Amino acid sequence: MQWTPGGRVVENLGMTSDSWVDRDAAVVWHGFTQMAAYADNAPVVVDRAEGREVIDVDGRRYLDAMSSLWVNTLGHRVPELDQAVVDQLGRVAHSTMLGNGNTVVVELAEALAAVVPVDEPHFLFAADGAVAVEQALKVAFQYWVNRGVPDRCRFLALGDAYHGDTVGALSFGDGGFFSAAFDPLRFPVLRTPGYADPGWAAKACAAVAAHAGELAAVVIEPLVQGASGMLCAEPDDVAALGRACRDAGVLLVCDEVATGFGRSGTLFASEQCDLRPDLLCLGKGITGGYLPMSATVASGRVYDEFLGDDLGARTFFHGHSYGGNAVAAAVALRHLQLVDEWDVLANVGARSSQLAALLEEKVAPHPAVGEVRQRGLMVGVELAPPTGGLRWGRRVCAAAVHRGVLLRPLGDVVVVMPPLTITAGEVYRLVDTLEAALDEVTVPDLAVPDPHGAGDADGAP
Ligand SMILES: Cc1ncc(COP(=O)(O)O)c(C=O)c1O
């Protein structure tokens, strides 16, 4: 490693991935990762990227088949997006949104307003998906306070839901292994079953009708419950819940942090379900995976209830230091233009059909596979281990990584979530690799438990 007056220059000559892992483990605390085992699990330490591949410190290339945790859309180092960063840095990197404006943020909001499935949309920018959900929660709560109906203060959320890791978002999320330690902090919600239950929609609609007078809002991940392993709903069922909310006057919050920006086959999953949510949560793909940005989108009906006297009680007293960061906004704006100019959704349609056909041919019939679930380029391959403790999800993904395809499991579900610009050749590479990884892990040791295998601790995105 050398130091230059302009900053640090990293030279990889002579640096092995082991030494980077040691340095990493000495100072970095990785989320959703048991640090005592971090180094043993052969982590990939990324040095750079090209297209849809990331390249580790030893020069090994990996197809980024999890889109860097579901954020990347157009690939890495897209010249147009790189240029948007550079251009914006020539203007200003960041200025606050509290009480002041920024031209590129205005332009981004205008561009988003033309495409989001929200009536008269207004954008409250933040940096992470969980914060977009927290903001929606507080907006929905205060909406009823501002209307003089404070009794409508409960929320309905679904079983198997995941909305992020901050305490409010965790409360919306279903409980379980990962959140159990925080149960005393989570506030209670009315919960009806998630998409794994074929009768989920009827139960949710009935609960909305029965509790209308006390409900502030219903929060859902439209079409796909991603972090619970890509559980899929029928669009008509989701539409029925939307109608039930409208009939009962209950606000509908659609969390499209994972599904938004083309991942589910349309720009927003709400479109497939005929939904016009009162509040829409965006994140992840909003900047194409370049920079942290999220947004809570409020309909005019919601927004108008917050108008009143300057600094009066109707004001939404909430905001984050980096909300509406100008560089992130510039990338998000250029990203939205490219999604249109490159007809990215056409590629999503073609590649998701190809992926579905290949998975049906090569992966679904595999004896180790229980079910393949897919919407657009969001796929969950549910493994069916014969006994507990085999940690097949972890091991199949490790075998794929070893073969140059970056995958990450959610328990025993292998998540496949490639960038939206994936090519036909890369789809073949992905499925062939997954098939080989399944064979390697699941055929030889059908009944041999993993020595480390106390449980399936791989978790949420
Ligand atoms: C549906 C959904 N909502 C919210 C979040 C949280 O987003 P973030 O990790 O950016 O806080 C996620 C993350 O995967 C998600 O899938």
Side-chain angles (χ1 to χ4, degrees), residues 69-71 127-133 162-166 169 220-221 224-227 255-259 281 283-284 293-294 460-461:
L69 220 52
W70 315 1
V71 299
D128 288 289
V131 176
V133 173
Y162 176 76
H163 297 283
D165 295 331
T166 55
I220 59 168
E221 299 158 81
V224 185
Q225 292 187 306
D255 176 355
E256 293 227 32
V257 169
T259 51
C281 304
K284 291 197 185 276
M293 172 171 258
S294 66

Side-chain angles (χ1 to χ4, degrees), residues 394-427:
R394 164 72 69 92
R395 293 163 71 195
V396 167
C397 289
V401 172
H402 194 65
R403 287 170 167 77
V405 171
L406 215 51
L407 290 173
R408 183 178 156 82
L410 289 161
D412 272 326
V413 177
V414 176
V415 173
V416 179
M417 186 91 88
L420 309 184
T421 51
I422 190 168
T423 63
E426 287 165 342
V427 171

Side-chain angles (χ1 to χ4, degrees), residues 287-331:
T287 61
Y290 262 57
L291 285 161
M293 172 171 258
S294 66
T296 309
V297 192
S299 67
R301 165 191 168 199
V302 171
Y303 173 81
D304 286 349
E305 291 298 337
F306 287 76
L307 302 177
D309 296 338
D310 194 13
L311 290 179
R314 296 174 82 87
T315 311
F316 188 51
F317 289 109
H318 180 114
H320 295 274
S321 306
Y322 280 101
N325 173 263
V327 180
V331 176

Side-chain angles (χ1 to χ4, degrees), residues 141-149 305-307 313-315:
F141 187 91
Q142 190 180 338
Y143 168 85
W144 293 107
V145 173
N146 286 1
R147 289 192 58 178
V149 196
E305 291 298 337
F306 287 76
L307 302 177
R314 296 174 82 87
T315 311

Side-chain angles (χ1 to χ4, degrees), residues 316-382:
F316 188 51
F317 289 109
H318 180 114
H320 295 274
S321 306
Y322 280 101
N325 173 263
V327 180
V331 176
L333 177 60
R334 192 71 188 105
H335 172 252
L336 200 57
Q337 291 163 351
L338 292 178
V339 167
D340 185 39
E341 285 169 24
W342 295 357
D343 203 359
V344 170
L345 292 178
N347 194 60
V348 173
R351 299 287 71 83
S352 57
S353 301
Q354 180 197 1
L355 185 57
L358 284 173
L359 289 170
E360 192 181 322
E361 179 194 333
K362 297 180 173 215
V363 170
H366 197 286
V369 172
E371 189 181 32
V372 177
R373 298 183 283 269
Q374 180 177 0
R375 286 279 186 274
L377 285 175
M378 306 177 79
V379 179
V381 176
E382 171 115 39

